[in-house]
Amino acid sequence: MFDEQGGVVTRAQALADGMTTDAVRERLRAGRWQRLFRSVYATFSGPVPRESMLWAAVLRAGSGAMLSHQSSAELIGLMDEPDGLIHVTVPTGRDISPIPGVVVHQSSRADRARHPIRLPPQTRVEETVVDLTQTSASLGQALGLIAKACGRRLTRADRIVTAIETRKKVRWREDLLAALTDVADGAHSSLELRYLRDVERAHGLLCGSRQHVVKRRSGRCYDDVRYVEFGVVVELDGRVAHPDEARWRDMRRDNAAILDGRRVLRYGWADVTGQPCAVAAQVVTVLRAAGWRGVPRRCHRCHRCRVHDHPEFWAS
């Protein structure tokens, strides 16, 4: 049992396994065991791995407890770095004294939220995603989490929709459900969602093909947005920095696209969020050069942009 719990055991478990109170005390006194929380011990000396601390928090929280929020996200690969605190969820009504370094959440849906097989006990992936949207500082952050979870193929948009619909109270419900429709259609990052909303839809542009598969001898690659009929590709780079390896990979991809006869535009976070009208104007110019005859429209931001000085781009 102890190995299955990351080498962590509760006092009750040790006694149920046949140990005496004196034997537990002797191991602690000799340093062969170490106390992690009240009545929760690591059955080894030395540094305590992260997995063992997660197990210890769940065991200390008691019956029905499970890792949730950032801690569950850490385990499924939704968070790249561990949070300083450990988050656990327990059924509503449980009276738990404060646990150092642990945030305890209560939920009336604890039984339904629990993953059936993953260990340490933790919330289902889609439940974890929805929990995090509800503690996000902004709608944009919440949408980014949804796009990230689906983009990393940790869960599917329809499963998150179900998790939202089974909850009575959800902040930003309609916005989240609308974004999930776009995620299901292939928008796999917060930046892609912003491009779809603030550039394409806001200005009446074509709706491009998302995550369009391109087959080459070296294997498959994916265009973020591709206007297939006109051979125009938009690549969206949400990275703050551009490591050399990534820069060269992007350059090779762009060069290959040009050799295939496609026009490539590349935008970052600052472009799409800070100058969506200017981005739309550039995309319109390239699409028209490729044969598009549509007429875009002004959005509510356009009157503040210099793009407004070029009425030939926009419908009156």
Side-chain angles (χ1 to χ4, degrees), residues 230-244:
F230 303 99
V232 176
V233 174
V234 174
E235 292 296 344
L236 300 168
D237 186 356
R239 288 166 291 193
V240 175
H242 224 329
D244 287 342

Side-chain angles (χ1 to χ4, degrees), residues 6 35 65 72 95 104 119 166 176 178-179 189 191 265 277 284 311 314:
R35 182 181 183 275
S72 178
D95 186 16
V104 179
L119 294 175
T166 56
L176 296 179
S189 72
L191 184 57
L265 297 170
C277 305
V284 166
W314 316 109

